[in-house]
Amino acid sequence: MILTVTPNPSLDRTYELPSLDRGSVLRATADRVEPGGKGVNVSLAVAAAGHATVAVAPLGGPEGALLAQLLGDHGIEAAGVPVHGSTRVNITLVEPDGTLTKVNAAGPEITAAEADALLATVRARAAGTRWVACCGSLPRGLPPEWYAELVAQAHRAGARIAVDTSGAALDAALRQRPEVVKPNSEELAEVVGRPLATIGDAVKAAQDLRDRGARAVLASLGADGQLLVDASGTYFGSARVTAVRSNVGAGDASLAGFLAAGGTGPAALAAAVAHGAAAVQLPGSAMPRPTDLVPAAVTTTARVPLDRALTEPTP
């Protein structure tokens, strides 16, 4: 069982347009609505891989009810915490050439009582789970320290926890020694306060996060691959990707693969790379199933290419 926590979930509505003309009345050629939010995406990927998962999230209004229904359609139990505000709705506009225009809503403001109820739900549902994965930005009303308290609650319940967030929330979570943190290269650069130009820079930044409390760092480096830095060493993984169709949720799929494979060591890194590579070759936010994975395309090694420049260096 993998429990996910999404502090600011969403309904994601996508409209496909023949063209995006400002100031015009536009008619969509296709549209769809999907459950969204980083932790929700992890649950979707875990379920697609055939594992059990429960999604904890604050849910409000008819939008929250629809989100819970959509998760149920995927075989995912939604452990929803009722909130007064309505769950946010994000809009994606897709043009024929694949260009995406996204409008992300802020989401409801969470009260102190609702924040406590969310922590209590995590504490109650975390007992007996293999992993808790808490992912995404914080909604209005939750301070960065809320992530640190969540890590502490998971540990009190006897669960291991992976944290995928950024900025002050990530900095606060490190103080409670989460088992895994999963930044991308931009988030890694932000939390250590310096640019990352090479894979070696990313390795040093990951080691800095371990010095600050993370027991392991799984870092997504985009097209360059992924790093795992833990007590046993430093490992690098990459995969051959023939064509990128969408990178939406690819990092979430990677984390799901990592945790489902045990959440430690190079074998779990290989699973993370395989899931991420499969996700970018699928349309939209589709999550890979076991038949989408190509293990032979994944290479992991302890010989990290430290001098290699990152494909898109962080400014």
Side-chain angles (χ1 to χ4, degrees), residues 11 21 26 38 51 56 65 69 73 80 113 126-127 131 149 163 178 195 201 208 239 274 292 302 304 315:
L11 279 178
D21 302 318
L26 306 175
K38 291 184 68 63
H51 301 281
V56 176
Q69 176 188 322
D73 292 343
W131 280 96
E149 181 58 28
V163 174
D201 291 340
D208 287 353
D292 297 314
V304 180

Side-chain angles (χ1 to χ4, degrees), residues 43-58:
S43 273
L44 290 169
V46 170
H51 301 281
T53 180
V54 173
V56 176

Side-chain angles (χ1 to χ4, degrees), residues 33-270:
V33 61
E34 300 166 300
K38 291 184 68 63
V40 166
N41 287 340
V42 172
S43 273
L44 290 169
V46 170
H51 301 281
T53 180
V54 173
V56 176
L59 300 177
E63 296 84 359
L66 178 55
L67 177 55
Q69 176 188 322
L70 292 172
L71 286 171
D73 292 343
H74 286 275
I76 298 168
E77 179 187 352
V81 176
V83 297
H84 287 89
S86 294
T87 297
R88 62 180 176 155
V89 178
N90 295 336
I91 304 296
T92 300
L93 306 177
V94 183
E95 298 176 70
D97 65 356
T99 301
L100 302 180
T101 301
K102 300 196 70 174
V103 182
N104 287 347
E109 184 166 355
I110 305 299
T111 67
E114 292 166 347
D116 289 343
L118 194 55
L119 287 173
T121 300
V122 172
R123 184 172 60 250
R125 299 304 297 263
T129 64
R130 281 203 302 167
W131 280 96
V132 174
C134 188
C135 311
S137 61
L138 290 171
R140 293 174 295 165
L142 293 187
E145 292 74 23
W146 188 86
Y147 258 114
E149 181 58 28
L150 180 74
V151 175
Q153 295 282 5
H155 284 162
R156 291 187 193 113
R160 294 177 290 175
I161 186 166
V163 174
D164 184 357
T165 189
S166 60
L170 174 57
D171 191 49
L174 291 172
R175 301 168 200 163
Q176 292 295 332
R177 294 185 56 78
E179 277 70 22
V180 178
V181 296
K182 192 206 159 293
N184 59 31
S185 57
E186 290 79 12
E187 293 163 345
L188 190 56
E190 179 186 18
V191 75
V192 299
R194 60 180 183 271
L196 309 179
T198 67
I199 292 178
D201 291 340
V203 170
K204 180 60 170 66
Q207 291 168 338
D208 287 353
L209 263 59
R210 292 198 68 244
D211 292 340
R212 291 163 61 177
R215 301 185 191 188
V217 179
L218 176 67
S220 297
L221 305 180
D224 294 297
Q226 296 189 45
L227 284 174
L228 175 62
V229 181
D230 62 15
S232 68
T234 299
Y235 307 94
F236 176 76
S238 61
R240 297 188 298 274
V241 174
T242 55
V244 175
R245 299 181 66 182
S246 172
N247 60 10
V248 177
D252 306 323
S254 290
L255 180 57
F258 184 78
L259 299 181
T264 182
L269 173 61

